[in-house]
Amino acid sequence: MRIFPLLSLGLPLLSTLAQAAAQPAESPIDRYGQQIFKNSRAIGMTMVVIDKNQTQMRFYGETRSGSRQTPDADSLVRIASISKAMTGEVLSALTLDKKVKLDDPLQKYAPAGVALPPAGQSITLLNLATHTSGVPREMPGEKPKDTPVFVWPNVQQRWSWLSGTKNKLAPGQRAQYSNLGFDLLADALSRASGKPYPVLFREKITVPLGMKDTTFSPSPAQCARLMEGYGASPCVDTTAAIGSGGIYSTPRDMQRWLQELLRPQNEARRQLRDQTLRMHLQRADLSSLRGMDVAGQADQLGLAWIRMEPSPNSPEIIQKTAGGGGFLGYAALAPRNDVAVWVGLTRSGGTHYQHLSNGVNKLVAELSGYKPVAAPMPKPTLAKGKAARGKAAVAQAAPAKPRAKKAARKAAGPKTAVAKNGAKKKTHLVKTSAHRAQ
């Protein structure tokens, strides 16, 4: 007699289990997308994912705080330093056209009457593209007050500084992240082609791929679609940062660009892709490496792109970090697995870059058939050879000694922030609009 009540109780349970089994499992794209958006505390976020022959987009949050409008495929974003990867692509295109060589000296393309400072060896185009030119991250000097990001210095100002600098430049010995170096590279490519760089950029990248919203000089209609985040800069012409970070684009255009990097449309484009993603320097070849371990250890350096070696939990990833003007971005490719992910988000005051890059890296790994784990911070490595023992080869070298910690914190300025509980919180690429990030 007790069997029937038990069966009657079991029927709702069986029905619930059947319904759960019928519901599709949450996709890795949705799972990681939601995690990245939540953990990064972004205001708005766009994501493009290419997995084999399928392309998907995801959109989260608001185009600007309080707008109640979700971003979409045509929302305008700043891709910031992913612009450097496109500059590397233009360089590759000109090498294939026999217009330039990677080992051409920068002096060959300097403005008339400009002489570069003497050095042990000439700065080459490859030095500029791999951050090994010895040129500093930003141009020294006082930036004009209230100047938006990506509009200073201009062409004349940076070449004037370079020709008059007293700094001792040592090309090829060390890798040091440089926005200034990529702007000089774009200037050189313009002179080599005999065309203004925006014209060259359209010819080599945006027109062949139909990237209609990718530009340095957005129209009022395009500016009306620009997402805004904490520390947002105004929507203005950014040709001053021609090679380093001035590009505006949309998720729709970024999808076209990523697809071409994974599956070029013809043999000529395939050669361009291969040249663009080729690596040129091993980490061990350099005496030091600074500013390129943000998304994981930089094992090899290419034309703006960084390669992270495969591991038991992750495939080879070729990546580029970005940030500035209220935006953070990250592009990660696993070419051997036909997977690519790009995320562009507008940050809040508490955004932490590693929540973005770690999430994307794990998504790329899972789509590539791996079981990802949390990515450890890269360990300091030593320069090549026995004589290098004890010499740190990365910026994250030995921690400051106790007596120096207070001074180091004071000098760090916007590189650190204090959380509400009083604990120091690393922000890495999260800076005010007056600064540019990776």
Side-chain angles (χ1 to χ4, degrees):
M1 294 296 295
R2 293 180 181 177
I3 294 175
F4 296 101
L6 285 173
L7 288 174
S8 64
L9 287 173
L11 287 174
L13 176 60
L14 291 173
S15 177
T16 301
L17 291 173
Q19 291 176 7
Q23 293 178 354
E26 184 180 39
S27 74
I29 296 173
D30 289 321
R31 177 160 37 89
Y32 283 108
Q34 291 165 4
Q35 288 176 7
I36 293 167
F37 176 66
K38 178 181 178 181
N39 294 340
S40 66
R41 299 167 65 182
I43 293 173
M45 189 178 103
T46 64
M47 182 167 72
V48 175
V49 179
I50 300 176
D51 182 14
K52 313 303 186 288
N53 293 319
Q54 297 187 354
T55 300
Q56 299 186 52
M57 296 186 189
R58 297 289 188 274
F59 306 98
Y60 305 87
E62 301 176 296
T63 55
R64 58 183 59 87
S65 184
S67 71
R68 297 185 179 181
Q69 180 180 352
T70 304
D72 60 32
D74 297 310
S75 293
L76 197 68
V77 300
R78 296 177 186 271
I79 67 169
S81 283
I82 293 175
S83 302
K84 293 181 178 68
M86 295 187 182
T87 306
E89 190 169 332
V90 174
L91 170 60
S92 296
L94 292 189
T95 61
L96 292 172
D97 292 343
K98 309 297 184 183
K99 296 288 187 182
V100 302
K101 297 179 180 178
L102 292 178
D103 60 359
D104 279 347
L106 178 60
Q107 179 67 68
K108 182 177 180 179
Y109 306 109
V114 172
L116 274 61
Q121 64 184 65
S122 299
I123 296 173
T124 66
L125 301 186
L126 181 60
N127 289 148
L128 293 168
T130 56
H131 299 285
T132 57
S133 65
V135 173
R137 183 186 182 102
E138 308 291 352
M139 191 180 86
E142 190 67 27
K143 185 177 181 180
K145 188 178 180 180
D146 299 325
T147 301
V149 72
F150 304 127
V151 301
W152 181 90
N154 60 30
V155 177
Q156 182 179 354
Q157 289 167 331
R158 54 181 168 257
W159 284 93
S160 177
W161 171 82
L162 184 60
S163 63
T165 183
K166 303 298 182 183
N167 293 0
K168 292 183 178 180
L169 305 179
Q173 298 179 16
R174 299 181 296 274
Q176 175 178 293
Y177 196 91
S178 177
N179 291 308
L180 179 59
F182 265 83
D183 289 330
L184 291 168
L185 174 60
D187 295 340
L189 298 179
S190 176
R191 290 185 65 82
S193 65
K195 301 174 183 179
Y197 188 80
V199 173
L200 180 62
F201 178 74
R202 289 195 296 270
E203 180 182 298
K204 298 301 182 183
I205 296 183
T206 62
V207 171
L209 301 185
M211 298 168 67
K212 298 179 180 179
D213 275 318
T214 301
T215 180
F216 295 98
S217 50
S219 67
Q222 289 172 317
C223 286
R225 293 186 267 129
L226 180 65
M227 295 170 62
E228 292 183 7
Y230 176 81
S233 289
C235 189
V236 295
D237 185 288
T238 51
T239 51
I242 202 79
S244 66
I247 297 174
Y248 298 84
S249 191
T250 62
R252 192 182 305 277
D253 280 3
M254 293 300 287
Q255 171 190 324
R256 292 186 171 101
W257 182 63
L258 289 175
Q259 285 175 320
E260 190 72 4
L261 288 173
L262 287 184
R263 294 177 176 270
Q265 52 192 279
N266 54 49
E267 182 57 31
R269 300 292 302 184
R270 184 177 301 280
Q271 291 179 18
L272 175 59
R273 186 277 310 273
D274 292 346
Q275 182 85 341
T276 299
L277 296 183
R278 178 187 172 194
M279 295 294 117
H280 293 270
L281 294 172
Q282 300 281 344
R283 186 185 187 96
D285 294 335
L286 301 164
S287 62
S288 65
L289 188 152
R290 184 181 298 273
M292 279 162 279
D293 286 324
V294 175
Q297 179 164 295
D299 296 305
Q300 293 180 311
L301 305 183
L303 307 181
W305 291 100
I306 288 171
R307 179 179 180 271
M308 301 190 299
E309 293 181 352
S311 73
N313 303 106
S314 177
E316 165 198 59
I317 292 179
I318 298 174
Q319 49 88 351
K320 182 69 195 79
T321 55
F327 284 85
L328 297 181
Y330 185 53
L333 316 177
R336 298 177 188 275
N337 304 89
D338 285 334
V339 172
V341 177
W342 166 79
V343 171
L345 61 82
T346 47
R347 67 182 186 88
S348 66
T351 301
H352 192 292
Y353 194 87
Q354 268 65 35
H355 290 308
L356 166 58
S357 57
N358 288 350
V360 170
N361 288 343
K362 288 191 284 187
L363 172 57
V364 170
E366 189 160 327
L367 293 178
S368 299
Y370 291 76
K371 293 182 178 180
V373 296
M377 291 301 292
K379 296 180 180 179
T381 59
L382 301 182
K384 186 178 180 181
K386 295 181 179 180
R389 295 184 185 276
K391 296 181 180 179
V394 292
Q396 297 89 344
K401 294 180 180 180
R403 292 182 180 178
K405 285 184 177 179
K406 185 175 181 180
R409 285 195 298 268
K410 184 177 180 181
K415 293 182 181 178
T416 58
V418 178
K420 291 182 179 180
N421 62 5
K424 189 171 71 173
K425 180 179 181 181
K426 297 181 180 178
T427 58
H428 295 284
L429 303 185
V430 181
K431 301 184 178 182
T432 64
S433 61
H435 294 79
R436 286 195 271 170
Q438 307 293 70

Tab-separated table of all heavy atoms in Angstrom, residues 3-17:
chain	number	residue	atom	x	y	z
A	3	ILE	N	3.572	1.710	-1.660
A	3	ILE	CA	4.248	1.897	-2.946
A	3	ILE	C	3.630	3.032	-3.733
A	3	ILE	O	4.323	3.848	-4.326
A	3	ILE	CB	4.205	0.596	-3.775
A	3	ILE	CG1	5.036	-0.484	-3.082
A	3	ILE	CG2	4.721	0.833	-5.192
A	3	ILE	CD1	4.954	-1.833	-3.763
A	4	PHE	N	2.339	3.165	-3.749
A	4	PHE	CA	1.657	4.166	-4.578
A	4	PHE	C	1.994	5.589	-4.175
A	4	PHE	O	2.271	6.425	-5.040
A	4	PHE	CB	0.135	3.913	-4.529
A	4	PHE	CG	-0.232	2.584	-5.140
A	4	PHE	CD1	-0.497	1.498	-4.313
A	4	PHE	CD2	-0.275	2.421	-6.514
A	4	PHE	CE1	-0.821	0.270	-4.854
A	4	PHE	CE2	-0.593	1.201	-7.056
A	4	PHE	CZ	-0.872	0.115	-6.241
A	5	PRO	N	2.009	5.912	-2.870
A	5	PRO	CA	2.435	7.274	-2.513
A	5	PRO	C	3.856	7.573	-2.968
A	5	PRO	O	4.156	8.673	-3.398
A	5	PRO	CB	2.320	7.285	-0.983
A	5	PRO	CG	1.289	6.258	-0.680
A	5	PRO	CD	1.496	5.178	-1.687
A	6	LEU	N	4.736	6.564	-2.875
A	6	LEU	CA	6.113	6.799	-3.298
A	6	LEU	C	6.162	7.076	-4.796
A	6	LEU	O	6.883	7.952	-5.275
A	6	LEU	CB	6.982	5.589	-2.963
A	6	LEU	CG	7.351	5.425	-1.481
A	6	LEU	CD1	8.076	4.102	-1.275
A	6	LEU	CD2	8.238	6.593	-1.042
A	7	LEU	N	5.375	6.328	-5.580
A	7	LEU	CA	5.351	6.547	-7.014
A	7	LEU	C	4.785	7.914	-7.351
A	7	LEU	O	5.269	8.608	-8.245
A	7	LEU	CB	4.528	5.442	-7.702
A	7	LEU	CG	5.185	4.049	-7.757
A	7	LEU	CD1	4.208	3.036	-8.329
A	7	LEU	CD2	6.451	4.111	-8.608
A	8	SER	N	3.742	8.302	-6.611
A	8	SER	CA	3.139	9.611	-6.889
A	8	SER	C	4.104	10.735	-6.561
A	8	SER	O	4.126	11.764	-7.227
A	8	SER	CB	1.840	9.770	-6.092
A	8	SER	OG	2.130	9.772	-4.701
A	9	LEU	N	4.938	10.543	-5.538
A	9	LEU	CA	5.929	11.552	-5.223
A	9	LEU	C	7.038	11.565	-6.270
A	9	LEU	O	7.636	12.596	-6.554
A	9	LEU	CB	6.526	11.263	-3.839
A	9	LEU	CG	5.621	11.561	-2.644
A	9	LEU	CD1	6.290	11.048	-1.358
A	9	LEU	CD2	5.342	13.060	-2.529
A	10	GLY	N	7.330	10.415	-6.851
A	10	GLY	CA	8.423	10.331	-7.808
A	10	GLY	C	8.084	10.914	-9.157
A	10	GLY	O	8.964	11.358	-9.888
A	11	LEU	N	6.797	10.969	-9.529
A	11	LEU	CA	6.413	11.476	-10.843
A	11	LEU	C	6.832	12.932	-11.071
A	11	LEU	O	7.396	13.258	-12.121
A	11	LEU	CB	4.905	11.301	-11.044
A	11	LEU	CG	4.453	9.844	-11.280
A	11	LEU	CD1	2.928	9.767	-11.324
A	11	LEU	CD2	5.048	9.313	-12.576
A	12	PRO	N	6.573	13.850	-10.107
A	12	PRO	CA	7.047	15.234	-10.313
A	12	PRO	C	8.555	15.316	-10.449
A	12	PRO	O	9.077	16.102	-11.235
A	12	PRO	CB	6.551	15.958	-9.059
A	12	PRO	CG	5.406	15.143	-8.577
A	12	PRO	CD	5.773	13.723	-8.883
A	13	LEU	N	9.271	14.460	-9.673
A	13	LEU	CA	10.730	14.477	-9.740
A	13	LEU	C	11.206	14.025	-11.115
A	13	LEU	O	12.091	14.630	-11.731
A	13	LEU	CB	11.310	13.575	-8.662
A	13	LEU	CG	12.837	13.409	-8.674
A	13	LEU	CD1	13.520	14.768	-8.489
A	13	LEU	CD2	13.274	12.445	-7.590
A	14	LEU	N	10.587	12.934	-11.631
A	14	LEU	CA	10.957	12.451	-12.958
A	14	LEU	C	10.646	13.487	-14.024
A	14	LEU	O	11.407	13.668	-14.977
A	14	LEU	CB	10.213	11.142	-13.262
A	14	LEU	CG	10.633	9.916	-12.439
A	14	LEU	CD1	9.706	8.739	-12.728
A	14	LEU	CD2	12.073	9.547	-12.768
A	15	SER	N	9.541	14.189	-13.863
A	15	SER	CA	9.166	15.234	-14.827
A	15	SER	C	10.178	16.370	-14.824
A	15	SER	O	10.570	16.874	-15.877
A	15	SER	CB	7.772	15.769	-14.490
A	15	SER	OG	7.433	16.823	-15.357
A	16	THR	N	10.623	16.750	-13.602
A	16	THR	CA	11.615	17.823	-13.481
A	16	THR	C	12.937	17.426	-14.119
A	16	THR	O	13.570	18.201	-14.821
A	16	THR	CB	11.836	18.173	-12.002
A	16	THR	OG1	10.600	18.584	-11.433
A	16	THR	CG2	12.857	19.297	-11.858
A	17	LEU	N	13.348	16.165	-13.867
A	17	LEU	CA	14.596	15.675	-14.452
A	17	LEU	C	14.512	15.631	-15.966
A	17	LEU	O	15.481	15.949	-16.673
A	17	LEU	CB	14.926	14.280	-13.903
A	17	LEU	CG	15.323	14.230	-12.425
A	17	LEU	CD1	15.465	12.773	-11.976
A	17	LEU	CD2	16.631	14.975	-12.190
